[in-house]
Amino acid sequence: MTDEYFTDLEARERDLAEQLRAGCRALADPDASSPFEHTYARMPADLSQQLRRHMEFVSTGLQDGERK
Amino acid sequence: MTVSMVKALNDGLRQALSDDPQVLLMGEDIGRLGGVFRVTDGLRKDFGELRVVDTPLGEAGIVGAAIGLAMRGYRPVCEIQFDGFVYPAVNQIVTQLAKLRHRSAGRISLPVVIRIPYGGGIGSIEHHSESPETYFAHTAGLKVVTCATPHDAFHMIQQAVAEDDPVVFLEPKRHYWTKGEVDPASALPLERAVVRRAGTDVTLIAYGPTVPVALEAADVAAQEGRSVEVVDLRSLSPWDVTTVRASVHRTGRAVVVHEAALSHGFGAEVAARLQDEEFHFLEAPVVRVTGYDTPYPPSRLESDWLPGVDRVLNAIDRSLSY
C-alpha cells in the first residue's frame, strides 16, 4: 500500500460522501403523516386519533416558534 | 368445560400449533419439563422437539432467534420463565421486535408472541413477582394484553398467535390454577375491554391479577349498599378507552387497580385520558390503588404491599365521599 493509494482512497471517500449528502438533501421532505404509518399492521383507533390531531395542527401551517 | 388457566393456555397453544404449521414454541424448560408452570406440558411429545424447543438460558437469544424465525415466515411463541427474567431481552424487544415493521416501511412483519407469567401473590421475591407491563405498553409497535380468566386465556393466546404484530402476552401467575368455564365457541376481539360486573356508583378498572380482587371488592361493597361496576381492560396497548369512557359516563367515578408501582403506572394513563375526555362527567378525581414505588417486597410483606380488597374498598370510599 502506497501513500498515493491512500490519497486516492480519501479523495474517492470524500466524493462519495458528498454525493450521498447531496442525494439526501435532494430528497423531498417525508409526508407529515409518515411516522404514523407501519407502526402496526392495522393502525389502532387511538393512534388514528393522534394522527388526525397532528394533521390538523400541521394543516394550520404554523411553523415552530411562529406564535412566540 | 371447566379448566384451570394453565390448562386453558395449554389447550389454546395446542390449538394454535394444530392450526398453523408455522407456529412454534420456544423457551427455557418448556419442552421436556413442560415449563415451570406446566403451561406447555405434553406439547413436545405431540408436536416434536422442532416445534416445541428447549432453549439455552438466555432471554436475549430467545427473542433474537424468534425475530429471525419470524422474518423467515414462522410464528414463534416465546416463554419467558418469570417476569423479571425478561429484562435481558428488552433490547431485542424494544429496539428490534417493536420497530422493524416501521423501519422497513411495512415490508417486515414480526408475528412473535412473548408469554410472560407476571405479578405477585405467590410468596416469591423480586424477579419472580414483578409487573413490567408499562415498559412494553409505552413502546410503539408492541401490543400488550393480559388475561384474567381461563376463558380469555384460551382464546386470547390463539388470537395473539394469529396477530401480525408482536404481542406481549402477560399471564397472571397467581391465578394459573384458578378454574373457570371455557366456551370454545365464543371469543371477544383481542383488544376489547369487558364489563365483568355491572354497577351504577363507581367504576373499578382492573386487568390481569387484579380483576378477581376488584370483583371481590365489588361483592363486599354491594353488601354495604354500593353498586360497583368492574371493567377488565384485557388489552393495555392498544387499550379500549371507549368501554371505559362508557362505564364512567354511567357512574361518574373511577378507581384503577393494578399491582405495578403507582408512579408512571397504567393507572396514570387511564386517569389522564378520563380527565381529558370525560372531565365534565367525573364526580370525583380518579383514584389509583397500586403497588408502591419500591422493589417487590419480601414475601411475608407482599399481602400488605399488593392492592387487596380492603385497600380497594378504601379507595371506593374515597371516591364516593368526594
PDB file of all heavy atoms in Angstrom, chain B residues 56-90:
ATOM      1  N   PRO B  56     -31.393 -22.519  25.327  1.00  0.00           N
ATOM      2  CA  PRO B  56     -30.464 -22.176  26.409  1.00  0.00           C
ATOM      3  C   PRO B  56     -31.057 -21.106  27.312  1.00  0.00           C
ATOM      4  O   PRO B  56     -32.028 -20.435  26.956  1.00  0.00           O
ATOM      5  CB  PRO B  56     -29.237 -21.637  25.656  1.00  0.00           C
ATOM      6  CG  PRO B  56     -29.373 -22.120  24.262  1.00  0.00           C
ATOM      7  CD  PRO B  56     -30.850 -22.235  24.003  1.00  0.00           C
ATOM      8  N   LEU B  57     -30.434 -20.920  28.478  1.00  0.00           N
ATOM      9  CA  LEU B  57     -30.915 -19.920  29.436  1.00  0.00           C
ATOM     10  C   LEU B  57     -30.409 -18.544  29.000  1.00  0.00           C
ATOM     11  O   LEU B  57     -29.391 -18.065  29.474  1.00  0.00           O
ATOM     12  CB  LEU B  57     -30.431 -20.235  30.849  1.00  0.00           C
ATOM     13  CG  LEU B  57     -30.741 -21.628  31.393  1.00  0.00           C
ATOM     14  CD1 LEU B  57     -30.301 -21.740  32.846  1.00  0.00           C
ATOM     15  CD2 LEU B  57     -32.224 -21.936  31.263  1.00  0.00           C
ATOM     16  N   GLY B  58     -31.067 -17.940  28.069  1.00  0.00           N
ATOM     17  CA  GLY B  58     -30.629 -16.631  27.579  1.00  0.00           C
ATOM     18  C   GLY B  58     -31.778 -15.944  26.877  1.00  0.00           C
ATOM     19  O   GLY B  58     -32.090 -16.233  25.720  1.00  0.00           O
ATOM     20  N   GLU B  59     -32.431 -15.024  27.579  1.00  0.00           N
ATOM     21  CA  GLU B  59     -33.667 -14.436  27.052  1.00  0.00           C
ATOM     22  C   GLU B  59     -33.420 -13.576  25.817  1.00  0.00           C
ATOM     23  O   GLU B  59     -34.256 -13.536  24.903  1.00  0.00           O
ATOM     24  CB  GLU B  59     -34.365 -13.624  28.149  1.00  0.00           C
ATOM     25  CG  GLU B  59     -34.998 -14.463  29.253  1.00  0.00           C
ATOM     26  CD  GLU B  59     -33.973 -15.018  30.252  1.00  0.00           C
ATOM     27  OE1 GLU B  59     -32.801 -14.570  30.228  1.00  0.00           O
ATOM     28  OE2 GLU B  59     -34.342 -15.891  31.059  1.00  0.00           O
ATOM     29  N   ALA B  60     -32.278 -12.871  25.781  1.00  0.00           N
ATOM     30  CA  ALA B  60     -31.981 -12.073  24.588  1.00  0.00           C
ATOM     31  C   ALA B  60     -31.855 -12.993  23.373  1.00  0.00           C
ATOM     32  O   ALA B  60     -32.313 -12.652  22.273  1.00  0.00           O
ATOM     33  CB  ALA B  60     -30.699 -11.271  24.791  1.00  0.00           C
ATOM     34  N   GLY B  61     -31.239 -14.144  23.577  1.00  0.00           N
ATOM     35  CA  GLY B  61     -31.094 -15.100  22.480  1.00  0.00           C
ATOM     36  C   GLY B  61     -32.431 -15.692  22.057  1.00  0.00           C
ATOM     37  O   GLY B  61     -32.673 -15.909  20.864  1.00  0.00           O
ATOM     38  N   ILE B  62     -33.297 -15.949  23.024  1.00  0.00           N
ATOM     39  CA  ILE B  62     -34.622 -16.499  22.692  1.00  0.00           C
ATOM     40  C   ILE B  62     -35.389 -15.518  21.801  1.00  0.00           C
ATOM     41  O   ILE B  62     -35.891 -15.879  20.732  1.00  0.00           O
ATOM     42  CB  ILE B  62     -35.440 -16.784  23.984  1.00  0.00           C
ATOM     43  CG1 ILE B  62     -34.770 -17.891  24.807  1.00  0.00           C
ATOM     44  CG2 ILE B  62     -36.880 -17.158  23.641  1.00  0.00           C
ATOM     45  CD1 ILE B  62     -35.364 -18.060  26.201  1.00  0.00           C
ATOM     46  N   VAL B  63     -35.451 -14.264  22.226  1.00  0.00           N
ATOM     47  CA  VAL B  63     -36.226 -13.285  21.449  1.00  0.00           C
ATOM     48  C   VAL B  63     -35.502 -12.955  20.142  1.00  0.00           C
ATOM     49  O   VAL B  63     -36.136 -12.817  19.091  1.00  0.00           O
ATOM     50  CB  VAL B  63     -36.500 -12.019  22.289  1.00  0.00           C
ATOM     51  CG1 VAL B  63     -37.223 -10.971  21.451  1.00  0.00           C
ATOM     52  CG2 VAL B  63     -37.338 -12.376  23.519  1.00  0.00           C
ATOM     53  N   GLY B  64     -34.183 -12.852  20.183  1.00  0.00           N
ATOM     54  CA  GLY B  64     -33.432 -12.581  18.959  1.00  0.00           C
ATOM     55  C   GLY B  64     -33.646 -13.676  17.923  1.00  0.00           C
ATOM     56  O   GLY B  64     -33.870 -13.398  16.735  1.00  0.00           O
ATOM     57  N   ALA B  65     -33.593 -14.929  18.367  1.00  0.00           N
ATOM     58  CA  ALA B  65     -33.824 -16.047  17.441  1.00  0.00           C
ATOM     59  C   ALA B  65     -35.260 -16.023  16.928  1.00  0.00           C
ATOM     60  O   ALA B  65     -35.520 -16.307  15.742  1.00  0.00           O
ATOM     61  CB  ALA B  65     -33.539 -17.371  18.148  1.00  0.00           C
ATOM     62  N   ALA B  66     -36.196 -15.651  17.784  1.00  0.00           N
ATOM     63  CA  ALA B  66     -37.608 -15.580  17.368  1.00  0.00           C
ATOM     64  C   ALA B  66     -37.798 -14.514  16.290  1.00  0.00           C
ATOM     65  O   ALA B  66     -38.572 -14.707  15.342  1.00  0.00           O
ATOM     66  CB  ALA B  66     -38.501 -15.278  18.573  1.00  0.00           C
ATOM     67  N   ILE B  67     -37.086 -13.401  16.421  1.00  0.00           N
ATOM     68  CA  ILE B  67     -37.182 -12.340  15.406  1.00  0.00           C
ATOM     69  C   ILE B  67     -36.693 -12.879  14.054  1.00  0.00           C
ATOM     70  O   ILE B  67     -37.340 -12.691  13.013  1.00  0.00           O
ATOM     71  CB  ILE B  67     -36.370 -11.101  15.842  1.00  0.00           C
ATOM     72  CG1 ILE B  67     -37.048 -10.431  17.045  1.00  0.00           C
ATOM     73  CG2 ILE B  67     -36.206 -10.109  14.688  1.00  0.00           C
ATOM     74  CD1 ILE B  67     -36.201  -9.369  17.723  1.00  0.00           C
ATOM     75  N   GLY B  68     -35.574 -13.583  14.069  1.00  0.00           N
ATOM     76  CA  GLY B  68     -35.068 -14.164  12.817  1.00  0.00           C
ATOM     77  C   GLY B  68     -36.029 -15.185  12.237  1.00  0.00           C
ATOM     78  O   GLY B  68     -36.273 -15.200  11.015  1.00  0.00           O
ATOM     79  N   LEU B  69     -36.591 -16.023  13.090  1.00  0.00           N
ATOM     80  CA  LEU B  69     -37.565 -17.021  12.605  1.00  0.00           C
ATOM     81  C   LEU B  69     -38.799 -16.347  12.020  1.00  0.00           C
ATOM     82  O   LEU B  69     -39.321 -16.771  10.977  1.00  0.00           O
ATOM     83  CB  LEU B  69     -37.968 -17.942  13.769  1.00  0.00           C
ATOM     84  CG  LEU B  69     -36.918 -18.970  14.181  1.00  0.00           C
ATOM     85  CD1 LEU B  69     -37.193 -19.497  15.589  1.00  0.00           C
ATOM     86  CD2 LEU B  69     -36.885 -20.125  13.177  1.00  0.00           C
ATOM     87  N   ALA B  70     -39.266 -15.290  12.684  1.00  0.00           N
ATOM     88  CA  ALA B  70     -40.455 -14.583  12.170  1.00  0.00           C
ATOM     89  C   ALA B  70     -40.163 -13.941  10.817  1.00  0.00           C
ATOM     90  O   ALA B  70     -41.027 -13.911   9.935  1.00  0.00           O
ATOM     91  CB  ALA B  70     -40.906 -13.521  13.178  1.00  0.00           C
ATOM     92  N   MET B  71     -38.948 -13.446  10.639  1.00  0.00           N
ATOM     93  CA  MET B  71     -38.581 -12.874   9.339  1.00  0.00           C
ATOM     94  C   MET B  71     -38.601 -13.932   8.241  1.00  0.00           C
ATOM     95  O   MET B  71     -38.749 -13.619   7.066  1.00  0.00           O
ATOM     96  CB  MET B  71     -37.194 -12.226   9.424  1.00  0.00           C
ATOM     97  CG  MET B  71     -37.171 -10.970  10.273  1.00  0.00           C
ATOM     98  SD  MET B  71     -35.516 -10.348  10.553  1.00  0.00           S
ATOM     99  CE  MET B  71     -35.327  -9.249   9.175  1.00  0.00           C
ATOM    100  N   ARG B  72     -38.441 -15.187   8.631  1.00  0.00           N
ATOM    101  CA  ARG B  72     -38.462 -16.296   7.674  1.00  0.00           C
ATOM    102  C   ARG B  72     -39.838 -16.950   7.589  1.00  0.00           C
ATOM    103  O   ARG B  72     -39.983 -18.039   7.030  1.00  0.00           O
ATOM    104  CB  ARG B  72     -37.421 -17.348   8.053  1.00  0.00           C
ATOM    105  CG  ARG B  72     -36.003 -16.835   8.075  1.00  0.00           C
ATOM    106  CD  ARG B  72     -35.482 -16.521   6.688  1.00  0.00           C
ATOM    107  NE  ARG B  72     -35.361 -17.715   5.862  1.00  0.00           N
ATOM    108  CZ  ARG B  72     -35.078 -17.725   4.575  1.00  0.00           C
ATOM    109  NH1 ARG B  72     -34.913 -16.582   3.942  1.00  0.00           N
ATOM    110  NH2 ARG B  72     -34.984 -18.848   3.898  1.00  0.00           N
ATOM    111  N   GLY B  73     -40.851 -16.315   8.192  1.00  0.00           N
ATOM    112  CA  GLY B  73     -42.214 -16.796   7.996  1.00  0.00           C
ATOM    113  C   GLY B  73     -42.802 -17.612   9.128  1.00  0.00           C
ATOM    114  O   GLY B  73     -43.944 -18.066   9.033  1.00  0.00           O
ATOM    115  N   TYR B  74     -42.041 -17.812  10.192  1.00  0.00           N
ATOM    116  CA  TYR B  74     -42.580 -18.574  11.321  1.00  0.00           C
ATOM    117  C   TYR B  74     -43.367 -17.653  12.261  1.00  0.00           C
ATOM    118  O   TYR B  74     -43.281 -16.426  12.166  1.00  0.00           O
ATOM    119  CB  TYR B  74     -41.445 -19.251  12.096  1.00  0.00           C
ATOM    120  CG  TYR B  74     -40.814 -20.382  11.325  1.00  0.00           C
ATOM    121  CD1 TYR B  74     -39.692 -20.159  10.524  1.00  0.00           C
ATOM    122  CD2 TYR B  74     -41.348 -21.662  11.364  1.00  0.00           C
ATOM    123  CE1 TYR B  74     -39.117 -21.181   9.785  1.00  0.00           C
ATOM    124  CE2 TYR B  74     -40.776 -22.703  10.633  1.00  0.00           C
ATOM    125  CZ  TYR B  74     -39.662 -22.448   9.842  1.00  0.00           C
ATOM    126  OH  TYR B  74     -39.111 -23.462   9.112  1.00  0.00           O
ATOM    127  N   ARG B  75     -44.129 -18.278  13.156  1.00  0.00           N
ATOM    128  CA  ARG B  75     -44.850 -17.544  14.193  1.00  0.00           C
ATOM    129  C   ARG B  75     -44.391 -18.070  15.552  1.00  0.00           C
ATOM    130  O   ARG B  75     -45.052 -18.919  16.161  1.00  0.00           O
ATOM    131  CB  ARG B  75     -46.373 -17.717  14.037  1.00  0.00           C
ATOM    132  CG  ARG B  75     -46.934 -16.974  12.853  1.00  0.00           C
ATOM    133  CD  ARG B  75     -48.442 -17.077  12.729  1.00  0.00           C
ATOM    134  NE  ARG B  75     -48.897 -16.248  11.619  1.00  0.00           N
ATOM    135  CZ  ARG B  75     -49.232 -14.970  11.731  1.00  0.00           C
ATOM    136  NH1 ARG B  75     -49.244 -14.393  12.910  1.00  0.00           N
ATOM    137  NH2 ARG B  75     -49.581 -14.282  10.678  1.00  0.00           N
ATOM    138  N   PRO B  76     -43.268 -17.564  16.035  1.00  0.00           N
ATOM    139  CA  PRO B  76     -42.734 -18.077  17.300  1.00  0.00           C
ATOM    140  C   PRO B  76     -43.514 -17.563  18.514  1.00  0.00           C
ATOM    141  O   PRO B  76     -43.955 -16.415  18.540  1.00  0.00           O
ATOM    142  CB  PRO B  76     -41.299 -17.540  17.336  1.00  0.00           C
ATOM    143  CG  PRO B  76     -41.049 -16.937  15.980  1.00  0.00           C
ATOM    144  CD  PRO B  76     -42.378 -16.580  15.415  1.00  0.00           C
ATOM    145  N   VAL B  77     -43.665 -18.437  19.474  1.00  0.00           N
ATOM    146  CA  VAL B  77     -44.240 -18.068  20.770  1.00  0.00           C
ATOM    147  C   VAL B  77     -43.165 -18.330  21.815  1.00  0.00           C
ATOM    148  O   VAL B  77     -42.806 -19.484  22.074  1.00  0.00           O
ATOM    149  CB  VAL B  77     -45.495 -18.906  21.093  1.00  0.00           C
ATOM    150  CG1 VAL B  77     -46.087 -18.484  22.438  1.00  0.00           C
ATOM    151  CG2 VAL B  77     -46.532 -18.770  19.978  1.00  0.00           C
ATOM    152  N   CYS B  78     -42.628 -17.252  22.385  1.00  0.00           N
ATOM    153  CA  CYS B  78     -41.536 -17.379  23.355  1.00  0.00           C
ATOM    154  C   CYS B  78     -42.107 -17.395  24.763  1.00  0.00           C
ATOM    155  O   CYS B  78     -42.978 -16.582  25.083  1.00  0.00           O
ATOM    156  CB  CYS B  78     -40.578 -16.190  23.266  1.00  0.00           C
ATOM    157  SG  CYS B  78     -39.916 -15.902  21.633  1.00  0.00           S
ATOM    158  N   GLU B  79     -41.602 -18.288  25.585  1.00  0.00           N
ATOM    159  CA  GLU B  79     -41.952 -18.227  27.008  1.00  0.00           C
ATOM    160  C   GLU B  79     -40.779 -17.623  27.772  1.00  0.00           C
ATOM    161  O   GLU B  79     -39.656 -18.119  27.687  1.00  0.00           O
ATOM    162  CB  GLU B  79     -42.269 -19.609  27.583  1.00  0.00           C
ATOM    163  CG  GLU B  79     -42.552 -19.526  29.090  1.00  0.00           C
ATOM    164  CD  GLU B  79     -42.958 -20.855  29.716  1.00  0.00           C
ATOM    165  OE1 GLU B  79     -43.980 -21.415  29.292  1.00  0.00           O
ATOM    166  OE2 GLU B  79     -42.241 -21.327  30.628  1.00  0.00           O
ATOM    167  N   ILE B  80     -41.060 -16.552  28.503  1.00  0.00           N
ATOM    168  CA  ILE B  80     -40.096 -16.018  29.465  1.00  0.00           C
ATOM    169  C   ILE B  80     -40.499 -16.616  30.812  1.00  0.00           C
ATOM    170  O   ILE B  80     -41.652 -16.479  31.229  1.00  0.00           O
ATOM    171  CB  ILE B  80     -40.152 -14.474  29.512  1.00  0.00           C
ATOM    172  CG1 ILE B  80     -39.874 -13.877  28.113  1.00  0.00           C
ATOM    173  CG2 ILE B  80     -39.182 -13.945  30.553  1.00  0.00           C
ATOM    174  CD1 ILE B  80     -38.510 -14.125  27.543  1.00  0.00           C
ATOM    175  N   GLN B  81     -39.568 -17.274  31.478  1.00  0.00           N
ATOM    176  CA  GLN B  81     -39.962 -18.125  32.606  1.00  0.00           C
ATOM    177  C   GLN B  81     -40.624 -17.343  33.744  1.00  0.00           C
ATOM    178  O   GLN B  81     -41.615 -17.796  34.323  1.00  0.00           O
ATOM    179  CB  GLN B  81     -38.735 -18.866  33.121  1.00  0.00           C
ATOM    180  CG  GLN B  81     -39.048 -20.121  33.873  1.00  0.00           C
ATOM    181  CD  GLN B  81     -37.801 -20.965  34.040  1.00  0.00           C
ATOM    182  OE1 GLN B  81     -36.901 -20.596  34.797  1.00  0.00           O
ATOM    183  NE2 GLN B  81     -37.738 -22.083  33.335  1.00  0.00           N
ATOM    184  N   PHE B  82     -40.079 -16.183  34.068  1.00  0.00           N
ATOM    185  CA  PHE B  82     -40.666 -15.295  35.073  1.00  0.00           C
ATOM    186  C   PHE B  82     -40.537 -13.850  34.584  1.00  0.00           C
ATOM    187  O   PHE B  82     -39.586 -13.518  33.861  1.00  0.00           O
ATOM    188  CB  PHE B  82     -39.936 -15.406  36.421  1.00  0.00           C
ATOM    189  CG  PHE B  82     -40.350 -16.590  37.255  1.00  0.00           C
ATOM    190  CD1 PHE B  82     -39.677 -17.798  37.117  1.00  0.00           C
ATOM    191  CD2 PHE B  82     -41.393 -16.505  38.155  1.00  0.00           C
ATOM    192  CE1 PHE B  82     -40.046 -18.896  37.891  1.00  0.00           C
ATOM    193  CE2 PHE B  82     -41.765 -17.597  38.928  1.00  0.00           C
ATOM    194  CZ  PHE B  82     -41.095 -18.794  38.799  1.00  0.00           C
ATOM    195  N   ASP B  83     -41.466 -13.010  35.039  1.00  0.00           N
ATOM    196  CA  ASP B  83     -41.496 -11.600  34.654  1.00  0.00           C
ATOM    197  C   ASP B  83     -40.136 -10.909  34.677  1.00  0.00           C
ATOM    198  O   ASP B  83     -39.723 -10.258  33.739  1.00  0.00           O
ATOM    199  CB  ASP B  83     -42.469 -10.844  35.572  1.00  0.00           C
ATOM    200  CG  ASP B  83     -42.466 -11.395  36.986  1.00  0.00           C
ATOM    201  OD1 ASP B  83     -41.407 -11.413  37.622  1.00  0.00           O
ATOM    202  OD2 ASP B  83     -43.551 -11.843  37.446  1.00  0.00           O
ATOM    203  N   GLY B  84     -39.423 -11.063  35.805  1.00  0.00           N
ATOM    204  CA  GLY B  84     -38.157 -10.349  35.961  1.00  0.00           C
ATOM    205  C   GLY B  84     -37.056 -10.871  35.055  1.00  0.00           C
ATOM    206  O   GLY B  84     -36.002 -10.232  34.928  1.00  0.00           O
ATOM    207  N   PHE B  85     -37.285 -12.009  34.412  1.00  0.00           N
ATOM    208  CA  PHE B  85     -36.263 -12.552  33.510  1.00  0.00           C
ATOM    209  C   PHE B  85     -36.344 -11.928  32.120  1.00  0.00           C
ATOM    210  O   PHE B  85     -35.517 -12.221  31.264  1.00  0.00           O
ATOM    211  CB  PHE B  85     -36.414 -14.069  33.366  1.00  0.00           C
ATOM    212  CG  PHE B  85     -36.252 -14.860  34.633  1.00  0.00           C
ATOM    213  CD1 PHE B  85     -36.371 -16.245  34.617  1.00  0.00           C
ATOM    214  CD2 PHE B  85     -35.971 -14.253  35.843  1.00  0.00           C
ATOM    215  CE1 PHE B  85     -36.231 -16.987  35.781  1.00  0.00           C
ATOM    216  CE2 PHE B  85     -35.836 -14.986  37.019  1.00  0.00           C
ATOM    217  CZ  PHE B  85     -35.971 -16.354  36.982  1.00  0.00           C
ATOM    218  N   VAL B  86     -37.346 -11.090  31.891  1.00  0.00           N
ATOM    219  CA  VAL B  86     -37.491 -10.520  30.544  1.00  0.00           C
ATOM    220  C   VAL B  86     -36.498  -9.389  30.294  1.00  0.00           C
ATOM    221  O   VAL B  86     -36.226  -9.033  29.154  1.00  0.00           O
ATOM    222  CB  VAL B  86     -38.940 -10.022  30.305  1.00  0.00           C
ATOM    223  CG1 VAL B  86     -39.230  -8.725  31.042  1.00  0.00           C
ATOM    224  CG2 VAL B  86     -39.222  -9.864  28.811  1.00  0.00           C
ATOM    225  N   TYR B  87     -35.939  -8.836  31.374  1.00  0.00           N
ATOM    226  CA  TYR B  87     -35.117  -7.637  31.180  1.00  0.00           C
ATOM    227  C   TYR B  87     -33.914  -7.850  30.262  1.00  0.00           C
ATOM    228  O   TYR B  87     -33.582  -6.953  29.487  1.00  0.00           O
ATOM    229  CB  TYR B  87     -34.704  -7.054  32.543  1.00  0.00           C
ATOM    230  CG  TYR B  87     -35.913  -6.724  33.408  1.00  0.00           C
ATOM    231  CD1 TYR B  87     -35.981  -7.118  34.732  1.00  0.00           C
ATOM    232  CD2 TYR B  87     -37.001  -6.039  32.876  1.00  0.00           C
ATOM    233  CE1 TYR B  87     -37.104  -6.844  35.504  1.00  0.00           C
ATOM    234  CE2 TYR B  87     -38.126  -5.767  33.633  1.00  0.00           C
ATOM    235  CZ  TYR B  87     -38.175  -6.168  34.949  1.00  0.00           C
ATOM    236  OH  TYR B  87     -39.284  -5.904  35.706  1.00  0.00           O
ATOM    237  N   PRO B  88     -33.224  -8.999  30.301  1.00  0.00           N
ATOM    238  CA  PRO B  88     -32.129  -9.168  29.330  1.00  0.00           C
ATOM    239  C   PRO B  88     -32.613  -9.145  27.879  1.00  0.00           C
ATOM    240  O   PRO B  88     -31.821  -8.911  26.971  1.00  0.00           O
ATOM    241  CB  PRO B  88     -31.560 -10.556  29.677  1.00  0.00           C
ATOM    242  CG  PRO B  88     -31.945 -10.772  31.100  1.00  0.00           C
ATOM    243  CD  PRO B  88     -33.286 -10.111  31.257  1.00  0.00           C
ATOM    244  N   ALA B  89     -33.913  -9.395  27.657  1.00  0.00           N
ATOM    245  CA  ALA B  89     -34.448  -9.419  26.291  1.00  0.00           C
ATOM    246  C   ALA B  89     -35.033  -8.073  25.865  1.00  0.00           C
ATOM    247  O   ALA B  89     -35.466  -7.929  24.725  1.00  0.00           O
ATOM    248  CB  ALA B  89     -35.536 -10.491  26.180  1.00  0.00           C
ATOM    249  N   VAL B  90     -35.033  -7.106  26.761  1.00  0.00           N
ATOM    250  CA  VAL B  90     -35.693  -5.831  26.446  1.00  0.00           C
ATOM    251  C   VAL B  90     -35.053  -5.161  25.238  1.00  0.00           C
ATOM    252  O   VAL B  90     -35.739  -4.574  24.402  1.00  0.00           O
ATOM    253  CB  VAL B  90     -35.705  -4.910  27.683  1.00  0.00           C
ATOM    254  CG1 VAL B  90     -36.049  -3.475  27.301  1.00  0.00           C
ATOM    255  CG2 VAL B  90     -36.716  -5.419  28.703  1.00  0.00           C
TER     256      VAL B  90
END
